Amino acid sequence: MVDFQAFLEKLYWKYRDVNEGKVASYIPELAKANSDSFAICAVTRDGRVFQAGDVDQKFTIQSISKVFVYGLALEEHGRERLLQKVGVEPTGDPFNSLIRLDEDSKRPDNPMVNAGAIATTSLIKGDGPTERLNRLLTLFQRYVGHEVFIDVPVFVSERSTGHRNRAMAHLMLNFGMIDQKVDEALDLYFQQCAILVTCRDLAVMAATLANQGENPLTGEQALHPEYVRDVLSIMYTCGMYNFAGEWAYRVGIPAKSGVSGGILAVVPNQVGIAVFSPLLDGHGNSVRGLRVFEELSQEFGLHLMDLSMGRCRFEAAIRDSSELTAS
Ligand code: DON
């Protein structure tokens, strides 16, 4: 029988020397990332931790933040009001595309593309920018189980170069999709993208979603259980940029990636898994991350549409596996 921890280590060594892809450079500060960094971590819904590689290395969360801010917006506004401002339809376009925004409804298609994420962030409640930022930091703290900080150089770098995001935000202001002051909304969006996390943090966040919104390590409720299905559905259909369909077909679990090289994925009621490697393919997804997830899904029958094994192979693999407990 396959031992889960041993399998993660095997994947780490197998893909460690894959050097295809490029580190993101459109945010100048991200170009400084170490392309050798590589980590894999899994946290089960009962809090067991399995890991390999640089699981404690910090990097900015980037687009993965969109998932969690969307969850907060759902709690604050409810489904119906949020749907009026941000749709739930995959675009098939790159995440920073402006093309569809000027068509038909003037409403961003979904909260995982930049336009939809900026609109979602602009809805976060709070009396002024500091209170709204604190609200977001507290949210992420509930998911990771410890204090979180912003990488200020990355925030400043994106703030001074994010002209496409500014263009989208102003277009949405023109359409009445953003109510709040547009520069404040953009600053908050750039700040949420610059929150520092580790691969282990991402796995805990994913495990929290796998565990109906309750952080399995702290017992804290990070998201109301009523909204977990909304968040997971959007991740499944829109989480991997314009590769989302292929990901759903090949890997088959809700996931979200970010341009600093993280991918987080959720097997509902079972496990949260994260991979970090900054080398990205043309869609903006981590090259090593895609390979690791494809292999994990295949080996343990994690694909949600594949009921032939009923997840038992995964359960068996973790049952007797010695976890490498992180500090
Ligand atoms: O808006 C941006 O370009 C970045 N802060 C986030 C990009 C990212 O990770 C991919 N976006 N879906």
Side-chain angles (χ1 to χ4, degrees):
M1 186 208 307
V2 182
D3 175 285
F4 192 65
Q5 173 62 37
F7 195 79
L8 290 194
E9 287 169 37
K10 190 183 106 180
L11 290 178
Y12 173 80
W13 289 105
K14 179 170 176 186
Y15 292 115
R16 203 179 74 125
D17 296 325
V18 169
N19 285 314
E20 291 156 39
K22 287 198 191 94
V23 165
S25 58
Y26 76 97
I27 300 173
E29 203 59 27
L30 292 186
K32 297 178 182 169
N34 178 357
S35 57
D36 291 335
S37 302
F38 185 28
I40 310 171
C41 187
V43 177
T44 62
R45 73 167 294 186
D46 55 359
R48 297 183 69 196
V49 180
F50 303 91
Q51 59 188 44
D54 312 316
V55 289
D56 291 318
Q57 188 181 317
K58 291 192 172 69
F59 53 93
T60 54
I61 189 168
Q62 295 300 335
S63 277
I64 298 173
S65 64
K66 295 169 178 174
V67 166
F68 304 96
V69 177
Y70 185 65
L72 180 62
L74 277 165
E75 285 182 335
E76 289 187 350
H77 300 280
R79 286 188 188 110
E80 292 315 312
R81 177 164 144 71
L82 198 50
L83 269 176
Q84 288 166 11
K85 299 281 183 186
V86 185
V88 290
E89 207 56 42
T91 64
D93 295 325
F95 62 85
N96 59 359
S97 176
L98 280 152
I99 292 170
R100 293 172 55 90
L101 201 53
D102 200 20
E103 291 171 355
D104 305 331
S105 71
K106 318 295 184 196
R107 182 186 63 157
D109 292 284
N110 71 67
M112 300 294 119
V113 290
N114 286 7
I118 294 166
T120 304
T121 298
S122 80
L123 292 170
I124 296 307
K125 292 184 176 168
D127 195 7
T130 308
E131 194 179 307
R132 279 192 283 275
L133 174 60
N134 283 336
R135 215 169 155 68
L136 284 197
L137 293 176
T138 309
L139 169 78
F140 284 92
Q141 276 159 208
R142 284 202 298 273
Y143 276 101
V144 299
H146 59 77
E147 212 176 345
V148 296
F149 300 95
I150 286 173
D151 184 322
V152 176
V154 172
F155 162 59
V156 172
S157 185
E158 182 165 8
R159 186 179 200 255
S160 56
T161 58
H163 307 302
R164 284 185 78 87
N165 285 336
R166 278 187 202 285
M168 280 176 217
H170 281 276
L171 208 49
M172 290 190 288
L173 182 65
N174 177 257
F175 300 149
M177 286 295 161
I178 288 190
D179 304 327
Q180 197 190 297
K181 291 179 190 127
V182 69
D183 289 325
E184 283 181 17
L186 281 162
D187 273 355
L188 190 57
Y189 170 74
F190 296 143
Q191 283 163 328
Q192 81 180 50
C193 289
I195 288 174
L196 284 163
V197 288
T198 64
C199 184
R200 184 173 184 273
D201 288 335
L202 289 184
V204 175
M205 296 171 93
T208 301
L209 292 175
N211 190 34
Q212 286 302 307
E214 182 189 309
N215 182 321
L217 301 188
T218 64
E220 209 176 348
Q221 196 71 37
L223 174 64
H224 193 288
E226 179 183 350
Y227 295 117
V228 171
R229 72 153 221 223
D230 302 62
V231 167
L232 294 180
S233 306
I234 301 281
M235 287 168 71
Y236 197 69
T237 52
C238 312
M240 298 298 286
Y241 311 131
N242 41 338
F243 187 75
E246 206 148 332
W247 172 276
Y249 180 79
R250 291 188 198 202
V251 182
I253 46 178
K256 181 75 194 92
S257 66
V259 290
S260 50
I263 301 179
L264 148 168
V266 178
V267 184
N269 284 328
Q270 279 189 306
V271 64
I273 307 173
V275 176
F276 169 58
S277 164
L279 290 168
L280 308 180
D281 68 9
H283 296 108
N285 293 317
S286 166
V287 174
R288 293 181 199 164
L290 293 182
R291 302 214 181 150
V292 166
F293 274 109
E294 228 178 296
E295 209 163 314
L296 277 174
S297 177
Q298 188 68 31
E299 178 68 32
F300 298 107
L302 299 179
H303 198 299
L304 294 188
M305 307 304 165
D306 178 3
L307 302 177
S308 59
M309 281 190 274
R311 302 290 110 73
C312 54
R313 210 184 303 170
F314 173 73
E315 290 299 337
I318 60 166
R319 193 172 308 128
D320 303 316
S321 180
S322 53
E323 71 196 271
L324 282 193
T325 311
S327 55

